[in-house]
């Protein structure tokens, strides 16, 4: 069908299979102890409107390295995109996942339960004029489990501006504020501003994050990238643990 794409993928990898350099698409990143079926749909209504959906139903055959039991779940995703101008669009993304989980109660007892996490994201990209672009995002996440331990929600928003001065120099900045109950309702922020460095930064608790990046090409064969980040958290005295504690 024109403007319609469908993908179906099944997987069954024995619990005893080991591949030291293997990597695959699934609930686990390493190919072992997992079976499932993935279905993806993409439909382009017209040049301006696009809808993408996927579902992934999975299960382990035996306990995993982190959970002493069979892990099963379902992952659902949908994204609606509206391109109201040539280089400007609005994205609406909804994701829901239910799976077997292991939680810690009062830092002592580890309990097996079923957890649910839902997230809603609205992303607005707008080209103000040639070579000046702005981006705004608002995101909501909600975490819950059957035992009602550490249930909560998280909020995040950022504004980003990119400006290309000329063919040799461009500059950008992003300012993010976030507030989540704890790590269970964490919201990840994807950052890719220079080749060879990709970050998916987990933002939880309450605070803000500043990102400044630039690209400079003094010669045709030379490009210089810079990136500066600063994360600030409220109401905490330390960040991290062990030798990485700040």
């Amino acid at each position: 069908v024109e403007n319609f794409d469908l993908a179906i993928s099944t997987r069954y990898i024995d619990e005893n299979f080991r591949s030291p350099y293997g990597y695959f698409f699934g609930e686990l990143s390493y190919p072992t102890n997992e079976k499932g079926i993935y279905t993806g749909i993409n439909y382009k209504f017209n040049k301006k409107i696009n809808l993408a959906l996927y579902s992934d139903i999975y299960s382990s055959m035996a306990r995993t390295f982190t959970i002493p039991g069979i892990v099963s779940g379902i992952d659902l995703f949908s994204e609606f995109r509206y391109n109201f101008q040539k280089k400007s669009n609005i994205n609406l993304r909804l994701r829901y996942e239910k799976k077997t989980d292991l939680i810690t109660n009062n830092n002592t007892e580890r309990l097996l339960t079923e957890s649910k996490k839902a997230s809603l994201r609205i992303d607005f990209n707008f080209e103000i004029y040639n070579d000046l672009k702005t981006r705004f995002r608002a995101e909501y996440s909600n975490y819950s489990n059957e035992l009602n331990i550490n249930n909560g929600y998280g909020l995040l928003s950022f504004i980003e501006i990119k400006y290309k001065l000329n063919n040799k120099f461009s500059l950008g900045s992003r300012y993010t504020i976030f507030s989540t109950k704890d790590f269970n309702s964490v919201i990840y922020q994807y950052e890719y501003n220079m080749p060879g460095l990709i970050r998916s930064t987990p933002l939880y608790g309450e605070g803000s994050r500043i990102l400044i990046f630039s690209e400079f090409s003094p010669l045709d064969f030379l490009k210089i990238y810079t990136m500066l980040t600063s994360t600030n958290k409220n109401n905490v005295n330390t960040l991290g643990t062990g030798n990485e504690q700040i």
Side-chain angles (χ1 to χ4, degrees):
V1 180
E2 188 177 1
N3 298 330
F4 179 82
D5 296 307
L6 172 66
I8 299 176
S9 174
T10 61
R11 59 191 185 274
Y12 185 95
I13 305 174
D14 190 85
E15 60 180 287
N16 297 313
F17 177 76
R18 296 293 183 271
S19 176
Y21 303 107
Y23 181 87
F24 87 126
F25 178 80
E27 174 64 13
L28 303 174
S29 59
Y30 43 88
T32 182
N33 190 25
E34 185 169 318
K35 59 183 177 180
I37 179 169
Y38 170 88
T39 305
I41 296 173
N42 188 80
Y43 183 64
K44 190 174 183 180
F45 291 88
N46 49 50
K47 292 182 178 180
K48 292 187 176 183
I49 300 176
N50 189 85
L51 177 65
L53 308 166
Y54 82 65
S55 69
D56 187 28
I57 303 172
Y58 58 86
S59 174
S60 66
M61 280 77 79
R63 64 156 293 165
T64 67
F65 293 111
T66 57
I67 296 181
I70 301 295
V71 176
S72 62
I74 181 171
D75 186 4
L76 303 174
F77 171 90
S78 64
E79 183 179 75
F80 175 81
R81 174 176 290 188
Y82 174 54
N83 300 305
F84 57 90
Q85 291 183 5
K86 185 177 181 180
K87 295 183 180 181
S88 303
N89 58 69
I90 297 175
N91 294 324
L92 177 63
R93 177 179 292 185
L94 177 63
R95 184 178 180 184
Y96 171 82
E97 185 174 19
K98 180 175 69 174
K99 66 178 181 179
T100 307
D101 202 0
L102 186 68
I103 62 175
T104 302
N105 186 22
N106 298 324
N107 297 321
T108 56
E109 189 178 15
R110 303 180 74 193
L111 304 171
L112 200 63
T113 184
E114 183 178 74
S115 67
K116 301 175 184 178
K117 187 171 183 179
S119 63
L120 174 65
R121 174 189 297 178
I122 300 175
D123 204 81
F124 176 76
N125 297 272
F126 183 67
E127 185 176 63
I128 300 175
Y129 61 87
N130 290 337
D131 300 324
L132 179 60
K133 300 176 181 179
T134 185
R135 181 182 181 189
F136 171 78
R137 173 180 295 176
E139 188 162 352
Y140 168 82
S141 71
N142 185 285
Y143 171 85
S144 63
N145 58 67
E146 293 179 328
L147 302 175
N148 293 319
I149 298 175
N150 297 328
N151 291 354
Y153 67 91
L155 296 169
L156 177 145
S157 65
F158 73 63
I159 184 169
E160 180 179 287
I161 296 176
K162 293 182 180 179
Y163 179 57
K164 186 176 181 180
L165 182 63
N166 49 47
N167 292 329
K168 293 184 177 294
F169 184 74
S170 62
L171 179 68
S173 178
R174 177 190 295 179
Y175 179 70
T176 306
I177 56 175
F178 55 92
S179 175
T180 73
K181 181 181 178 182
D182 52 36
F183 192 79
N184 289 320
S185 50
V186 63
I187 299 178
Y188 285 83
Q189 180 172 268
Y190 180 77
E191 299 168 352
Y192 177 58
N193 304 106
M194 63 173 61
L197 180 61
I198 299 175
R199 288 182 175 177
S200 186
T201 305
L203 299 175
Y204 60 96
E206 293 186 0
S208 62
R209 181 173 173 85
I210 298 173
L211 169 66
I212 301 173
F213 52 92
S214 68
E215 178 182 337
F216 178 50
S217 181
L219 302 171
D220 293 339
F221 60 87
L222 177 64
K223 288 187 177 181
I224 301 173
Y225 298 88
T226 60
M227 185 168 68
L228 171 67
T229 62
S230 176
T231 302
N232 302 280
K233 286 197 174 184
N234 306 330
N235 307 316
V236 295
N237 296 320
T238 61
L239 296 175
T241 59
N243 295 329
E244 297 181 350
Q245 186 178 89
I246 301 174

